[in-house]
Amino acid sequence: MLVTDTSTYANVTLDPRANVYFDGKCVSHTFHLADGTRKSAGVILPATLNFGTGAPEIMELHSGACRVRLAGSEDWTSYGAGDSFSVPGNSSFDIEVTDPVSYVCHYG
Amino acid sequence: MLVTDTSTYANVTLDPRANVYFDGKCVSHTFHLADGTRKSAGVILPATLNFGTGAPEIMELHSGACRVRLAGSEDWTSYGAGDSFSVPGNSSFDIEVTDPVSYVCHYG
């Protein structure tokens, strides 16, 4: 393997058909680990959006800047590259993106 | 491997840091095959854009609808899911996207 950067996801299966949400303010690609675990790698462009969850999610940020308010909370928390935040299942969060956010979403 | 869909890319290394072009009208993720070959999987949202090439490119479409005019040509050609088109190196093309295009770009 020529790619040695530890911040990449190795040995995955990538679905090239992108998911487009909010008129393109959020775009993601689904991928699966070798054990079948589903994840998605996406981008959220500058905007303020509300995302709902089915399964619990961990949002892992790889670039950009945003602040996030979980459902039921009054507090906004800022996140950037290297940060992650957890969202309960069957819930939602508001996200205000100021610099395009690259993320990997982990489910379950 | 639980993923058997032949339209996916298996055993790749995915860089989760997205590339954002044209204020987000084009977003892509770089990935590498097991042999180190670099490709990108991206989305182009509805817009008319001009892309330059360094290396020659093959653009492989997985969803959406667009028409394309290569540099030096007067002709627009329509493409959709399952289609691909080739662009010479050190050249450019105009693309008019009417329905978000998912693509894989092959270089070289």
Side-chain angles (χ1 to χ4, degrees):
Chain A
M1 180 66 67
L2 299 177
V3 179
T4 55
D5 186 334
T6 55
S7 68
T8 58
Y9 283 83
N11 194 23
V12 308
T13 297
L14 177 65
D15 187 337
R17 289 159 299 194
N19 312 300
V20 178
Y21 307 105
F22 300 112
D23 289 329
K25 289 297 184 185
C26 177
V27 171
S28 74
H29 284 89
T30 301
F31 65 99
H32 290 79
L33 304 185
D35 68 3
T37 305
R38 177 175 67 96
K39 299 184 184 296
S40 64
V43 180
I44 309 175
L45 298 172
T48 301
L49 302 171
N50 180 271
F51 287 86
T53 60
E57 296 182 358
I58 296 173
M59 290 281 286
E60 174 187 287
L61 271 62
H62 289 272
S63 69
C66 65
R67 56 184 203 141
V68 170
R69 182 175 59 185
L70 297 180
S73 172
E74 298 294 317
D75 301 327
W76 292 85
T77 305
S78 293
Y79 298 102
D83 295 334
S84 63
F85 61 92
S86 296
V87 187
N90 300 311
S91 185
S92 68
F93 63 94
D94 296 314
I95 184 167
E96 180 186 271
V97 172
T98 52
D99 187 40
V101 162
S102 296
Y103 69 86
V104 171
C105 183
H106 307 266
Y107 304 99
Chain B
M1 180 65 68
L2 299 178
V3 179
T4 56
D5 186 335
T6 55
S7 68
T8 59
Y9 282 83
N11 194 22
V12 308
T13 297
L14 177 66
D15 187 337
R17 288 160 298 194
N19 312 300
V20 178
Y21 306 105
F22 300 112
D23 288 328
K25 289 297 186 186
C26 177
V27 170
S28 74
H29 283 89
T30 301
F31 66 98
H32 290 79
L33 304 185
D35 68 2
T37 305
R38 177 175 67 96
K39 299 184 185 295
S40 64
V43 180
I44 309 174
L45 297 173
T48 301
L49 302 171
N50 180 272
F51 287 86
T53 60
E57 297 182 0
I58 297 172
M59 291 281 285
E60 174 188 287
L61 272 62
H62 289 270
S63 69
C66 65
R67 55 184 205 141
V68 171
R69 181 175 60 185
L70 297 180
S73 172
E74 297 294 316
D75 301 327
W76 291 85
T77 305
S78 293
Y79 298 102
D83 295 335
S84 63
F85 60 92
S86 296
V87 187
N90 299 311
S91 185
S92 68
F93 63 95
D94 296 313
I95 184 168
E96 180 186 272
V97 172
T98 52
D99 187 40
V101 162
S102 296
Y103 68 87
V104 171
C105 183
H106 308 266
Y107 304 98

